[in-house]
């Protein structure tokens, strides 16, 4: 195997590990909440902590690679990931589990941008498209396999093994990174914007905490205090950014209509889906009494629909335009969510298959079009800055989607029938998934080739 394919193998292994760790623990959350006696709203922090870890460390990864060398960063990140996975499985309390998930996210966040930069530098021209296809294949394969595999592990063993199962692959990736990646000397790098990074992370953490506490019925004062702290962090970052003229999040990039609309669409499609899928797993396991494995299998349907839609959207984008693809994607995605309102029996498998199929097709089409549209206005250094902003927004979409939906579900009056509460929340999610359509007119005024 040539050197560049060794580098690509290390990156793809690490990327696969990261992807399955976003989706595989989700199917175990009903069992985790029972084990630690916490509510469904609190369970979102198993995913939120991982996303926060990724958000915190992604802007630091290239700086660390420049100082310490890519080989050391990649190997250490996977070793730290393995240790954190073991800690998650051994957690004696819910707080300990959340803490280990934060550490696990930080470890995983080091590998992705460093490995991707190394790989893409070694594959130029048409060959880069082949690597991009492999990356997309991993991104679709992981969500398809992870939930059903996680469900099988939970049903046959216990929830800690959902995390322990990562150990062999993480250790193998660390070993391959040390053996295969060329040693490069470290060099001095410009000091990153640590203050801005802490303010952005603080704003996101306080916002998520406030919504989670309110949804879990901890009282409005504590929730309000957390939300106010989040807004204060966001305002302080804005002031810090204006004084410094630059920051870890380049707010000036939001002047791009394409980027703004694409970011909103990502909250409405992958973001809302994250919350809907998490809520539906609780519904299927706790109300309809499906097994963890059975409830996880529906994501295979989602992944198949998303794969077909992504391939079609890639070919149609320049002919049809972003607006039409985004509108169609949001419509199909919301229609799939709306079908969940009709599911009230374990015998409604055809409805569930149709729902996840529509969500997959709509989500794949909309997410692909948003990803393509988001960075059209940028190149060079601005492209790198926009990529950081886009990836931070992507992590926020996943976390906020889960937190919002669980909060809304827990806010229904105490006397509401649990079946009706789930159905009302799914109906509301279907409406929320269509809201960015109101912004598409602004996008339509952009270059006709991409926005008509």
């Amino acid at each position: 195997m040539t050197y560049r394919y060794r580098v690509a193998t290390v990156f793809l292994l690490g990327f696969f590990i990261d992807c399955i760790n976003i989706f595989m623990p989700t199917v175990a959350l009903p069992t985790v909440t029972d084990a630690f006696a916490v509510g469904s709203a609190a369970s979102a922090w198993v995913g939120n902590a991982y996303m926060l870890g990724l958000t915190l460390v992604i802007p630091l990864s290239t700086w660390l690679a420049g100082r310490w060398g890519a080989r050391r960063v990649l190997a250490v990140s996977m070793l730290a990931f393995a240790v954190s996975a073991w800690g998650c499985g051994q957690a004696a309390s819910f707080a300990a589990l959340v803490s280990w998930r934060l550490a696990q996210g930080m470890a995983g966040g080091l590998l992705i941008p460093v490995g991707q930069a190394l790989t893409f530098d070694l594959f130029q021209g048409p060959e880069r498209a082949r690597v991009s296809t492999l990356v997309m294949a991993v991104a679709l394969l992981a969500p398809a396999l992870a939930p059903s595999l996680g469900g099988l592990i939970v049903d046959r063993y216990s929830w800690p093994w959902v995390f322990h199962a990562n150990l062999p692959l993480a250790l193998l990736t660390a070993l391959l990174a040390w053996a295969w990646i060329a040693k490069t000397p470290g060099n001095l790098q410009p000091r990153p914007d640590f203050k801005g990074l802490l303010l952005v992370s603080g704003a996101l953490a306080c916002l998520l905490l406030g919504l989670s506490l309110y949804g879990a019925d901890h009282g409005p004062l504590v929730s309000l205090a957390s939300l106010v702290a989040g807004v204060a962090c966001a305002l302080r970052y804005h002031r810090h950014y204006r004084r410094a003229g630059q920051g870890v999040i380049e707010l000036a990039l939001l002047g791009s209509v394409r980027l703004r609309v694409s970011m909103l669409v990502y909250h409405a499609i992958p973001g809302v889906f994250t919350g809907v899928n998490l809520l539906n797993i609780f519904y299927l396991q706790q109300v309809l009494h499906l097994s963890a494995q059975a409830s996880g299998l529906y994501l295979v349907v989602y992944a198949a629909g998303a794969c077909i839609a992504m391939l079609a959207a890639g070919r149609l984008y320049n002919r049809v335009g972003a607006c039409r693809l985004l509108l169609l994607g949001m419509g199909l995605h919301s229609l799939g969510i709306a079908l969940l309102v009709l599911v009230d029996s374990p015998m409604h498998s055809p409805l569930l298959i149709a729902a996840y199929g529509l969500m997959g097709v709509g989500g794949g089409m909309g997410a692909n079009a948003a990803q393509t549209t988001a960075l059209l206005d940028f190149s060079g250094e601005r492209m790198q800055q926009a990529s950081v902003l886009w990836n931070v927004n992507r992590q926020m979409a996943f976390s906020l989607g889960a937190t919002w939906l669980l909060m809304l579900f827990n806010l229904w009056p105490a006397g509401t029938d649990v079946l009706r509460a789930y159905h009302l929340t799914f109906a509301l999610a279907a409406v929320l998934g269509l809201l960015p359509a109101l912004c598409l007119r602004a996008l339509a005024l952009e270059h006709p080739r991409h926005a008509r």
Side-chain angles (χ1 to χ4, degrees):
M1 187 185 297
T2 61
Y3 176 71
R4 61 178 182 168
Y5 278 102
R6 290 179 179 180
V7 173
T9 300
V10 171
F11 165 57
L12 291 172
L13 279 173
F15 184 57
F16 178 77
I17 294 171
D18 176 68
C19 287
I20 63 173
N21 271 275
I22 293 175
F23 293 97
M24 192 159 71
T26 303
V27 77
L29 289 183
T31 306
V32 171
T33 56
D34 290 342
F36 291 118
V38 297
S40 59
S43 72
W45 278 95
V46 176
N48 287 345
Y50 188 82
M51 297 298 181
L52 280 173
L54 286 170
T55 303
L56 179 65
V57 83
I58 281 175
L60 299 178
S61 57
T62 52
W63 175 71
L64 289 172
R67 288 182 66 89
W68 295 347
R71 181 176 74 159
R72 187 180 300 176
V73 168
L74 293 176
V76 169
S77 71
M78 283 294 97
L79 285 174
F81 192 95
V83 171
S84 302
W86 178 258
C88 288
Q90 296 298 110
S93 67
F94 188 71
L97 174 60
V98 170
S99 299
W100 280 113
R101 282 289 281 173
L102 177 68
Q104 195 179 31
M106 294 177 69
L110 286 175
L111 183 138
I112 298 172
V114 175
Q116 186 175 34
L118 279 176
T119 301
F120 278 39
D121 280 344
L122 294 171
F123 290 84
Q124 300 291 332
E127 294 179 330
R128 183 171 292 185
R130 298 175 194 167
V131 176
S132 297
T133 301
L134 289 175
V135 173
M136 181 177 289
V138 170
L140 290 172
L141 183 64
L145 296 179
S148 54
L149 179 59
L152 179 64
I153 291 172
V154 171
D155 289 339
R156 295 197 176 183
Y157 302 100
S158 58
W159 69 263
W161 285 98
V162 169
F163 299 103
H164 290 164
N166 293 294
L167 290 172
L169 196 55
L171 292 174
L172 173 64
T173 306
L175 179 63
L176 293 178
W178 190 259
W180 284 355
I181 305 296
K183 184 178 180 180
T184 54
N187 53 67
L188 292 177
Q189 296 287 318
R191 186 176 181 271
D193 181 21
F194 287 114
K195 181 178 179 180
L197 182 62
L198 290 175
L199 288 172
V200 169
S201 301
L204 178 57
C206 289
L207 176 61
L208 292 172
L209 182 62
L211 294 175
S212 298
L213 291 175
Y214 191 67
D217 199 26
H218 282 274
L221 291 180
V222 178
S223 304
L224 182 61
S226 184
L227 292 173
V228 169
V231 172
C233 285
L235 292 175
R236 286 198 64 186
Y237 176 75
H238 184 263
R239 186 167 55 196
H240 164 73
Y241 174 80
R242 292 187 65 181
R243 287 178 179 175
Q246 59 182 4
V248 64
I249 302 296
E250 284 290 337
L251 299 179
L253 301 175
L254 294 176
S256 165
V257 173
R258 292 189 179 103
L259 179 59
R260 285 202 314 271
V261 172
S262 298
M263 289 170 66
L264 287 173
V265 170
Y266 218 85
H267 280 270
I269 295 183
V272 168
F273 173 76
T274 302
V276 167
N277 182 55
L278 176 56
L279 199 61
N280 196 47
I281 284 173
F282 277 97
Y283 177 56
L284 294 178
Q285 292 185 31
Q286 294 185 343
V287 178
L288 300 187
H289 305 294
L290 270 67
S291 68
Q293 184 181 9
S295 59
L297 281 172
Y298 289 107
L299 267 177
V300 177
V301 179
Y302 177 90
C307 181
I308 294 170
M310 284 182 177
L311 293 174
R315 296 189 175 189
L316 293 173
Y317 185 83
N318 285 319
R319 282 186 279 170
V320 175
C323 280
R324 293 175 183 173
L325 286 176
L326 291 173
L327 186 60
L328 180 59
M330 285 186 286
L332 292 174
H333 183 255
S334 286
L335 179 59
I337 297 173
L339 286 182
L340 295 177
V341 178
L342 304 177
V343 177
D344 56 13
S345 165
M347 304 302 294
H348 284 167
S349 292
L351 269 177
L352 284 166
I353 291 172
Y356 273 86
L358 284 170
M359 286 189 286
V361 172
M365 184 178 297
N368 187 286
Q371 174 84 51
T372 305
T373 305
L375 305 179
L376 282 176
D377 294 334
F378 309 104
S379 60
E381 183 180 355
R382 300 292 276 181
M383 171 70 81
Q384 297 177 9
Q385 295 168 344
S387 179
V388 169
L389 179 57
W390 173 256
N391 278 287
V392 169
N393 179 76
R394 183 168 63 91
Q395 307 301 340
M396 288 175 60
F398 292 142
S399 295
L400 287 173
T403 305
W404 267 112
L405 265 294
L406 287 171
M407 184 197 76
L408 291 173
F409 173 76
N410 283 282
L411 285 179
W412 295 113
T416 306
D417 176 72
V418 66
L419 192 68
R420 180 171 174 79
Y422 275 108
H423 287 169
L424 287 172
T425 308
F426 290 143
L428 187 56
V431 175
L432 291 174
L434 293 172
L435 289 182
L438 301 174
C439 304
L440 291 183
R441 179 174 175 79
L443 185 63
L445 299 177
E446 296 295 300
H447 196 287
R449 181 185 176 190
H450 297 115
R452 65 176 180 270

